[in-house]
Amino acid sequence: MNFSKLDFYIITVNLFAFILFIFITRLKPHPKSGHRDFVLQIVSLLGGAAGIFIAMLFFGFSSKYKSRFNKEDKKENMMIKVFVSCFLVIQIIAYLIQKGFLKDNFTFSFWNFFQQSKIFSFYLLTINLITFTVFGIDKRNAVLNRPRIRITTLLGLSFFGGAAGGLIAMYIFRHKTKKNYFAVGLPLMIVMQTVVVFFLMNVK
């Protein structure tokens, strides 16, 4: 198998990202979450999202590491997870496009694609309605001091197609607007989902 310069770069940067994640999350004294996330985000942007994602799956943020932070700091780990996950998808698609999986005569006719792909369109409409509703329920639960819906549920619904519905709900219900993993994460998910749809429209 012949490896291109791009392949070697991807392997190298992701191996570096994998090791860097393990090193940073176990560094003593532990870096502040903001500084740590900034470094990991830069490495993700440079192509290391897969390495960080794999490291998070296998090692995560260790219990010893988590114990040094309060509850709010632990939630802030969500931002780097959202960031890395979105850029991982974008980078996979960019790699596939570079490898020639895109039609030569590609199109940006999203509306025509949605009209032709009715099942996919129905899925997107449904997941966005569900996400919008779940955000509204969580806001109501917060006002009434009832048990809340898990952050991972809200982010998961948004990640798998419901980001637009979640973003609309955020500002209609004024809910989660001060949490960066929602205020920044959901627009980033919309960008990621747009890239996915573009690829599906034009894949060979």
Side-chain angles (χ1 to χ4, degrees):
M1 181 181 292
N2 294 324
F3 287 93
S4 66
K5 291 182 179 179
L6 176 63
D7 295 325
F8 279 113
Y9 172 78
I10 290 173
I11 292 171
T12 302
V13 73
N14 280 286
L15 181 60
F16 171 76
F18 181 88
I19 296 170
L20 179 67
F21 178 88
I22 298 172
F23 174 76
I24 287 181
T25 56
R26 284 151 180 79
L27 189 65
K28 295 180 181 180
H30 296 287
K32 293 182 179 179
S33 60
H35 297 160
R36 178 206 67 218
D37 288 358
F38 178 75
V39 172
L40 294 176
Q41 286 168 0
I42 292 297
V43 175
S44 296
L45 284 170
L46 293 174
I52 295 173
F53 185 82
I54 294 170
M56 285 193 297
L57 284 180
F58 280 96
F59 301 100
F61 297 96
S62 68
S63 57
K64 182 182 292 186
Y65 175 78
K66 286 183 176 180
S67 66
R68 294 179 178 267
F69 294 90
N70 61 34
K71 185 176 181 180
E72 191 61 29
D73 288 326
K74 292 177 184 179
K75 288 182 179 179
E76 289 303 311
N77 292 335
M78 287 292 178
M79 185 60 228
I80 188 61
K81 292 176 182 177
V82 169
F83 190 94
V84 169
S85 298
C86 288
F87 269 91
L88 174 60
V89 173
I90 292 171
Q91 287 167 12
I92 289 172
I93 291 175
Y95 180 79
L96 292 175
I97 290 174
Q98 197 278 333
K99 288 296 183 180
F101 284 84
L102 199 68
K103 296 177 183 176
D104 293 330
N105 55 335
F106 59 85
T107 178
F108 291 94
S109 300
F110 289 93
W111 180 249
N112 290 337
F113 174 73
F114 289 132
Q115 286 183 317
Q116 295 169 5
S117 307
K118 296 188 178 187
I119 294 177
F120 182 67
S121 299
F122 177 77
Y123 167 77
L124 283 181
L125 178 62
T126 302
I127 192 68
N128 278 283
L129 286 174
I130 291 173
T131 306
F132 180 89
T133 303
V134 172
F135 268 76
I137 292 171
D138 190 53
K139 172 64 175 183
R140 181 174 174 79
N141 288 351
V143 172
L144 298 177
N145 199 28
R146 292 177 179 172
R148 303 290 298 282
I149 295 172
R150 295 179 62 183
I151 292 173
T152 51
T153 300
L154 297 174
L155 289 173
L157 287 169
S158 300
F159 184 85
F160 289 105
L167 189 64
I168 293 170
M170 273 177 55
Y171 290 100
I172 287 181
F173 302 127
R174 296 182 182 179
H175 187 49
K176 301 291 189 184
T177 57
K178 295 183 179 179
K179 304 297 182 182
N180 63 352
Y181 41 88
F182 285 102
V184 178
L186 266 60
L188 182 58
M189 289 180 194
I190 291 174
V191 172
M192 178 267 292
Q193 289 160 11
T194 302
V195 172
V196 171
V197 172
F198 171 77
F199 182 73
L200 293 176
M201 287 167 48
N202 295 285
V203 67
K204 286 182 179 179

